[in-house]
Amino acid sequence: MEDNQIEEGEKHRDVEVAPALISVHPSQNSVAVAVGSDLRVHDLLGDGVVSLLDNSGAPSHKDSIRAIRYGANGKLFVSAGDDKVVKIWSAESWQCICTVSSEKRVSAVAISNDGQHVCFADKFGVVWVVDLHGIDGSQASVNKKAAPLLAHYCSIITSLEFSPDGQYVVSADRDFKIRVTIFPKKPLDGAHEIQSFCLGHTEFVSCLVFVITLDYPQGFLVSGSGDSTVRLWDITSGSLLDTCEVDAKAGHLESNGSDEGYSTVTGLCVVPDSTLIAAAIQRQVVSIKGENFIPTSLANSSSTGLLWMVTGVSNLPGFDFPSVSRVKVISGFNKSSPDCLEHEPLVLEDSDIPGGMKLLEKLQGSVKVEEKVFSAAAEAVKTAMCNLLIKKQYSSDKREYRKRTRNDKKIKQ
Amino acid sequence: MLEKESNPTISKSTGLPRKRFYRARAHSNPLSDSHFPVPVSPFHVDFSLHYPQFFPSTGEVSHLKKIQFADIGCGFGGLLISLSTLFPETLMIGMELRDKVTEYVKERILALRVSNLGQYQNISVVRTNSMKYIPNYFEKGQLMKMFFLFPDPHFKEKNHRRRVISPHLLDEYAYVLGVGGIIYTITDVEELGDWMKSCLESHPMFEALAEEELEADPVVKLLSCATEEGQKVARNGGQTFQAVFRRIVPTS
């Protein structure tokens, strides 16, 4: 009987659900959504049509995409995930300019501020760096090798960020750690000098973002975690400056079906005027015009006041749709208006979204998606995230059982 | 006291814990998820529990005196006990992943404190996975000496990432070691000895100690003879391979 239980657990792991991801070009030239192995890009400047040029012929990604991101200067775009391939695209021509193979599945990506280095983290906790010097996108896709930069000891890295001044690379993991490492002049030799560790979270750290203010251009680090807090850090010393209990803040929005104690912070986004931070959390169901919407990913561009959200999953078991997604946009975060809180942030009607229905069709795959799918999707994302990041707690019975079945134990008498 | 005498795990003649009651498996998987409590940060470690004589007030975490020596994978604690009398004013801690072994060292230190009044107050032990949680225990540049004596060799290439000395983990050791701090490694496995030496040599934040510095350092002599593992090697007439390196400021 117990064997069955274990087998079931194995089976569950086979159907891995990946949350939908969204990323917006720094000046909102385009928007990218990744659902499962599908990468969808909508151009907001031209006629909206973007076809990804990848000379390999086969689909760009063969398995779930786990990380997408635009470079700070808007020239590059990176996608990576479970198929152990990192694709670096030109964000103008949408030509794949570089393909990097990873030994393990990729969990996070980052692009240095000058666009010369791409970092990605794998499931073994190693962060790799790819040097892009000499690649300008004029030639066809090149294959590059990555060099190990740093490592968290066998902990899944959940998020990677470069500091605004480019001096540090920050990595967060499922062991509550945030490591701030000096980004070296020769990154291919590895980053050995650790500036600080930001310690304070009591569950996995899920997301990182920098806040830049006029008084503090180096920026503060903000992190979201499975312990349902958002914390503010000074990265040079690693000291904790502030903690925000998201549960308490979100209290007034809470739906009646609050069953669990924790709401995991899954996404963070800094509003351009840098006084507001948007946080996406699990459990909480934001009711928008009768639709249940739990964003799986957030994004915005530095130039506009729009906050883009997406929800959805790939490989949703029990439904006809192989992968579903829904895009929403919130406006009202316009910069330099301190009184913006007076008028509530507004969720745009589908037709008011830049790019309109055409964009939605491209990014969602279809305009209308059944509502009940999303509640199922939200549930699936939550389970997937828990399986991935929360440490398994075995009951003492089960632990004893596992010990008993260990085949290397000496038999007494 | 009476209670202790009836306790079979404590030897009646020496008052020390008896090793046979603390047998543990020789190896422990450092990669598995840890289910023991881990301090959130170095400021959350209550030192009054570890060093009651140095930190008399319970509860309030005082940081006047900091731990300076760490024995990573301290095993049965032989090195800590030798170092304790050699550096009576220096706080040191042993870190061990195996629960039973940690219990043994804890009992051993307590028994030594009872039988040698005023001594052995500067050593303690924690059960933790030092490969994962070193930054949770020590602040940047806090340590002056780190010991890695007879670590698990992990021969298979697949398992090399479980080795306690590895290029990436050295970054973390360089973080907790102050400039000038010394890392001591020793093993009886030639292959591992070469590995540890090459890892340290190719790391930009470590440099090897000169021969005469090794001669002058009283701690170097303890490496091969103070620990249980070292004594076992000596008994069997085995060879040992040591690498002693200093933390330096990287030249860039």
Side-chain angles (χ1 to χ4, degrees):
Chain A
M1 189 198 93
E2 277 170 293
D3 275 332
N4 279 347
Q5 277 180 354
I6 288 164
E7 264 171 41
E8 260 170 50
E10 301 283 329
K11 258 183 228 154
H12 269 292
R13 230 168 290 149
D14 287 343
V15 203
E16 263 185 67
V17 173
L21 305 170
I22 193 164
S23 186
V24 181
H25 187 274
S27 35
Q28 205 170 304
N29 293 352
S30 53
V31 180
V33 167
V35 192
S37 60
D38 211 5
L39 182 61
R40 303 159 181 170
V41 183
H42 186 89
D43 185 9
L44 287 166
L45 288 184
D47 56 358
V49 181
V50 170
S51 41
L52 302 171
L53 300 167
D54 190 355
N55 59 358
S56 61
S60 300
H61 286 282
K62 294 182 186 70
D63 208 337
S64 299
I65 297 172
R66 296 290 183 170
I68 55 172
R69 172 187 288 250
Y70 283 91
N73 57 13
K75 290 205 176 99
L76 289 177
F77 180 83
V78 180
S79 58
D82 289 354
D83 62 352
K84 306 177 186 174
V85 171
V86 181
K87 294 254 174 198
I88 303 167
W89 310 83
S90 156
E92 283 142 14
S93 65
W94 290 101
Q95 168 116 30
C96 176
I97 57 170
C98 187
T99 307
V100 189
S101 339
S102 161
E103 284 168 34
K104 303 284 162 201
R105 295 174 176 200
V106 180
S107 58
V109 292
I111 304 174
S112 69
N113 299 344
D114 58 4
Q116 295 298 345
H117 294 100
V118 168
C119 292
F120 64 91
D122 70 23
K123 277 282 177 68
F124 268 23
V126 181
V127 178
W128 302 80
V129 63
V130 186
D131 191 351
L132 293 183
H133 282 95
I135 300 179
D136 51 7
S138 55
Q139 67 271 64
S141 173
V142 274
N143 289 311
K144 272 249 171 189
K145 272 203 105 117
L149 182 72
L150 59 98
H152 286 223
Y153 192 71
C154 294
S155 194
I156 297 169
I157 293 181
T158 50
S159 188
L160 269 180
E161 282 290 330
F162 278 93
S163 66
D165 56 7
Q167 210 188 334
Y168 305 110
V169 58
V170 185
S171 43
D173 71 23
R174 75 183 267 257
D175 268 326
F176 344 129
K177 273 208 286 273
I178 301 169
R179 168 173 157 169
V180 183
T181 316
I182 295 175
F183 193 71
K185 289 196 183 73
K186 287 188 228 156
L188 297 183
D189 297 341
H192 301 289
E193 212 174 337
I194 302 172
Q195 177 63 34
S196 65
F197 281 98
C198 301
L199 299 169
H201 281 299
T202 53
E203 267 297 343
F204 61 88
V205 184
S206 53
C207 41
L208 297 175
V209 72
F210 272 95
V211 188
I212 310 155
T213 63
L214 284 175
D215 321 325
Y216 203 74
Q218 303 97 302
F220 295 105
L221 181 70
V222 181
S223 62
S225 154
D227 63 6
S228 88
T229 61
V230 172
R231 292 177 200 250
L232 185 73
W233 309 91
D234 171 47
I235 54 165
T236 40
S237 66
S239 47
L240 176 63
L241 302 176
D242 201 9
T243 303
C244 167
E245 304 276 347
V246 206
D247 269 337
K249 288 271 178 203
H252 61 286
L253 288 166
E254 211 170 292
S255 69
N256 44 8
S258 56
D259 42 355
E260 282 138 83
Y262 281 139
S263 26
T264 303
V265 181
T266 55
L268 284 172
C269 215
V270 176
V271 174
D273 67 2
S274 284
T275 52
L276 283 176
I277 294 160
I281 60 177
Q282 279 177 0
R283 185 187 78 161
Q284 186 199 329
V285 180
V286 187
S287 224
I288 300 166
K289 301 232 154 88
E291 276 182 82
N292 288 329
F293 195 82
I294 303 170
T296 52
S297 174
L298 299 178
N300 66 349
S301 68
S302 44
S303 63
T304 57
L306 298 181
L307 177 70
W308 296 72
M309 306 182 291
V310 70
T311 186
V313 290
S314 68
N315 306 323
L316 190 59
F319 284 92
D320 296 337
F321 309 94
S323 51
V324 289
S325 65
R326 179 88 175 92
V327 176
K328 287 264 179 193
V329 180
I330 301 181
S331 77
F333 295 115
N334 268 323
K335 49 177 150 182
S336 68
S337 60
D339 55 351
C340 74
L341 281 176
E342 282 177 21
H343 37 99
E344 283 272 292
L346 184 74
V347 180
L348 295 184
E349 288 291 329
D350 286 356
S351 51
D352 296 336
I353 294 174
M357 288 302 187
K358 223 169 153 188
L359 171 133
L360 290 182
E361 205 175 325
K362 173 78 183 176
L363 297 182
Q364 290 176 191
S366 65
V367 175
K368 283 269 168 264
V369 188
E370 267 181 272
E371 199 185 298
K372 63 169 184 185
V373 177
F374 285 110
S375 359
E379 207 47 50
V381 170
K382 195 160 145 188
T383 334
M385 190 139 174
C386 285
N387 287 344
L388 184 67
L389 294 174
I390 291 178
K391 295 184 179 177
K392 285 190 186 70
Q393 294 284 357
Y394 294 107
S395 65
S396 52
D397 288 353
K398 200 148 179 214
R399 218 174 312 161
E400 281 308 308
Y401 172 74
R402 283 162 62 88
K403 267 189 203 163
R404 250 188 294 136
T405 52
R406 261 195 319 221
N407 57 9
D408 57 340
K409 196 182 173 187
K410 277 184 202 154
I411 296 150
K412 256 189 190 170
Q413 273 104 44
Chain B
M1 262 306 153
L2 266 175
E3 204 183 37
K4 241 181 198 165
E5 270 162 37
S6 59
N7 187 346
T9 64
I10 307 281
S11 157
K12 282 192 185 102
S13 51
T14 60
L16 292 173
R18 296 159 78 188
K19 229 172 168 178
R20 51 184 284 208
F21 292 100
Y22 297 91
R23 286 244 171 90
R25 302 157 68 79
H27 309 277
S28 192
N29 181 2
L31 305 183
S32 59
D33 279 348
S34 319
H35 291 295
F36 42 81
V38 175
V40 173
S41 80
F43 303 103
H44 292 75
V45 189
D46 187 358
F47 291 103
S48 59
L49 296 176
H50 289 288
Y51 312 102
Q53 196 160 300
F54 287 89
F55 300 93
S57 62
T58 351
E60 198 183 313
V61 181
S62 131
H63 273 262
L64 294 171
K65 205 169 171 72
K66 283 176 182 163
I67 294 172
Q68 288 191 303
F69 295 179
D71 185 0
I72 312 300
C74 65
F76 291 93
L79 179 80
L80 280 176
I81 282 149
S82 310
L83 284 174
S84 173
T85 43
L86 203 57
F87 300 91
E89 284 307 309
T90 309
L91 294 187
M92 35 193 121
I93 201 152
M95 297 181 135
E96 174 60 50
L97 182 54
R98 292 167 294 170
D99 199 12
K100 271 189 183 169
V101 178
T102 319
E103 277 309 307
Y104 173 84
V105 180
K106 215 176 265 172
E107 292 296 329
R108 188 174 174 184
I109 293 171
L110 287 179
L112 282 170
R113 283 180 185 172
V114 170
S115 53
N116 304 275
L117 273 183
Q119 280 186 301
Y120 301 105
Q121 293 292 337
N122 58 335
I123 52 174
S124 188
V125 68
V126 284
R127 187 218 176 171
T128 196
N129 185 343
S130 58
M131 294 162 87
K132 286 188 179 192
Y133 302 117
I134 274 239
N136 295 60
Y137 282 92
F138 307 116
E139 293 164 58
K140 189 179 188 176
Q142 171 182 343
L143 295 179
M144 288 321 288
K145 287 185 199 300
M146 285 180 97
F147 299 92
F148 299 87
L149 309 193
F150 303 97
D152 203 337
H154 292 296
F155 291 108
K156 286 188 201 165
E157 201 175 322
K158 185 183 95 171
N159 286 339
H160 281 183
R161 67 197 187 102
R162 298 187 186 186
R163 287 178 170 173
V164 72
I165 297 284
S166 70
H168 291 303
L169 279 172
L170 282 178
D171 298 350
E172 288 190 18
Y173 305 151
Y175 166 83
V176 290
L177 272 175
V179 172
I182 295 172
I183 210 166
Y184 298 84
T185 70
I186 189 167
T187 177
D188 56 326
V189 180
E190 188 167 10
E191 184 199 332
L192 180 70
D194 291 344
W195 161 279
M196 295 198 291
K197 204 166 174 185
S198 73
C199 284
L200 283 158
E201 272 169 353
S202 50
H203 199 283
M205 292 166 88
F206 289 103
E207 69 169 17
L209 258 70
E211 204 55 50
E212 55 271 20
E213 286 175 298
L214 291 176
E215 298 271 316
D217 192 339
V219 177
V220 172
K221 289 167 196 75
L222 291 178
L223 296 183
S224 52
C225 64
T227 69
E228 288 72 9
E229 204 52 40
Q231 286 158 8
K232 200 157 83 190
V233 173
R235 258 202 317 274
N236 301 334
Q239 244 190 312
T240 55
F241 308 89
Q242 62 185 39
V244 183
F245 279 69
R246 183 187 294 111
R247 158 84 154 85
I248 52 165
V249 180
T251 47
S252 56

